[in-house]
Amino acid sequence: MPQMMRAVEIEKPGGPEVLKLTERHLPEPAHGQVVIKVAWAGVNRPDALQRAGLYAPPPTASDLPGLEASGEVVVVGGGVTDLKVGDLVCALLPGGGYAEYVATPAAHCLAVPEGMGLKEAACLPETYFTVWSNVFNRGGLKAGERFLVHGGSSGIGTTAIQLARAFGARVFATAGSADKCDACAALGAEIAINYREQDFVEVVRAEGGADVILDMVGGAYIPRNLKALAEDGRLVQIAFLGGAKVEVNFTTLMTRRLSMTGSTLRPQSDLAKARIAEELRDAVWPLLAAGTVKPVMDQSFDLADARKAHARMEKSEHIGKIVLKVGG
């Protein structure tokens, strides 16, 4: 084991240019943690928010960005019984994924699905934890219900489309171009709505309204989402790219028995994340092994080119996941 590792740190709050390749000491595992030699790291919008100074890491987390990675377990901390050195895993991280080594709770690690490479596996934790906990746990999506996901061509969107379809829902998605709509349809969206050309409220209501909506836009979309919901529908909010404050007439919510909920993943307790991991292992990992669902890949960049990866993500031209190649 080396004493130092390459890592990408945030020099100061700002744009992609503030990401800087540096050297750090290797992390040490706390009780219940493992250290992973990172092969690939996923790139997510929360990384960009942290880089911009808008999403501070928890006090006990690494200050380095990176919320998911894949690689090999190289150190096992005290109290860990389910993993051993040499295991290949993908893991939800409290931070620190943009580095050659990272420490994370062992309970947040999942085996690389059978038949899948480390590159693809690095795309799983952040998106699958988020979609499962919000769409199925909080949103309560059931077979036969109508599900609308905004940003259908994003990492979250491509995952949500596939999982909702796999569990028997009717799936609708919004996206901002014909190519992105085609990608959503190919993944299983019954109707892909180009939001630049169509009103998603009218399209979805013509189908009976959505039972569950997964939204990362917020802002002006929130009252429109409420109109697009069916009776007893559920709106699940996971981000606010269009703003977090809006005026809403709650009479609509009351008279149509609507529910609004949402969550962020990173601040949740280790126990809560471990429970999500267990549910994914039982309900979703067999689907990944069978090829029923799979990560949609956009582009990969070397760790030293993290700036370019962030720049591409923020242009919103990508379809699926962006990853960083970290190890050999």
Side-chain angles (χ1 to χ4, degrees):
M1 294 284 290
Q3 292 185 334
M4 304 296 291
M5 65 179 184
R6 292 188 310 146
V8 170
E9 65 182 8
I10 300 168
E11 196 170 21
K12 59 183 179 180
E17 70 279 358
V18 305
L19 295 175
K20 176 186 175 183
L21 191 65
T22 187
E23 282 198 338
R24 291 281 187 98
H25 288 283
L26 267 65
E28 295 184 3
H31 186 84
Q33 290 189 338
V34 295
V35 174
I36 299 168
K37 183 179 181 181
V38 177
W40 295 86
V43 177
N44 296 283
R45 288 200 178 271
D47 302 337
L49 291 174
Q50 180 178 335
R51 187 208 69 223
L54 301 175
Y55 191 37
T60 58
S62 168
D63 64 305
L64 300 175
L67 299 177
E68 61 183 349
S70 65
E72 178 185 354
V73 175
V74 292
V75 182
V76 175
V80 176
T81 58
D82 294 336
L83 291 174
K84 64 183 184 301
V85 171
D87 285 346
L88 298 181
V89 299
C90 57
L92 186 73
L93 309 173
Y98 291 17
E100 291 180 310
Y101 295 85
V102 66
T104 197
H108 301 169
C109 297
L110 289 158
V112 173
E114 184 178 349
M116 185 177 291
L118 288 169
K119 180 179 180 181
E120 292 76 19
C123 299
L124 301 178
E126 175 72 12
T127 47
Y128 277 77
F129 274 69
T130 297
V131 170
W132 183 261
S133 61
N134 284 286
V135 175
F136 296 94
N137 289 347
R138 292 186 175 277
L141 183 67
K142 300 177 181 63
E145 290 191 319
R146 295 176 294 271
F147 171 63
L148 170 64
V149 56
H150 292 298
S153 61
S154 66
I156 292 289
T158 55
T159 299
I161 290 170
Q162 293 181 79
L163 283 180
R165 181 67 180 269
F167 284 97
R170 295 180 61 192
V171 183
F172 310 94
T174 64
S177 71
D179 287 346
K180 290 183 176 183
C181 285
D182 289 344
C184 294
L187 291 171
E190 181 178 325
I191 299 178
I193 305 159
N194 187 332
Y195 63 78
R196 302 183 193 277
E197 300 175 355
Q198 298 173 283
D199 182 352
F200 73 82
V201 177
E202 293 181 1
V203 174
V204 174
R205 286 196 63 80
E207 298 294 325
D211 296 294
V212 177
I213 297 177
L214 181 66
D215 182 38
M216 58 198 78
V217 181
Y221 265 41
I222 294 177
R224 295 175 67 196
N225 283 330
L226 294 179
K227 290 181 181 179
L229 285 170
E231 305 293 305
D232 298 298
R234 292 88 72 193
L235 171 61
V236 186
Q237 203 73 42
I238 58 170
F240 295 101
L241 299 177
K245 295 182 179 180
V246 67
E247 184 174 304
V248 173
N249 185 342
F250 274 83
T251 301
T252 302
L253 184 142
M254 294 169 61
T255 57
R256 301 180 57 227
R257 303 175 304 282
L258 307 180
S259 300
M260 297 177 68
T261 185
S263 72
T264 55
L265 184 59
R266 194 177 194 182
Q268 294 186 47
S269 70
D270 286 350
L271 178 58
K273 295 173 190 175
R275 287 172 175 164
I276 299 170
E278 282 294 328
E279 293 172 4
L280 287 171
R281 185 179 288 110
D282 293 340
V284 176
W285 251 235
L287 299 178
L288 288 162
T292 305
V293 298
K294 58 184 179 181
V296 176
M297 308 297 294
D298 183 71
Q299 287 189 20
S300 61
F301 297 84
D302 287 336
L303 179 64
D305 292 326
R307 295 177 179 182
K308 295 180 180 179
H310 275 228
R312 176 163 179 78
M313 182 176 60
E314 293 191 333
K315 288 180 181 177
S316 293
E317 295 175 351
H318 61 292
I319 295 176
K321 293 284 292 192
I322 298 170
V323 292
L324 297 175
K325 188 177 189 303
V326 181

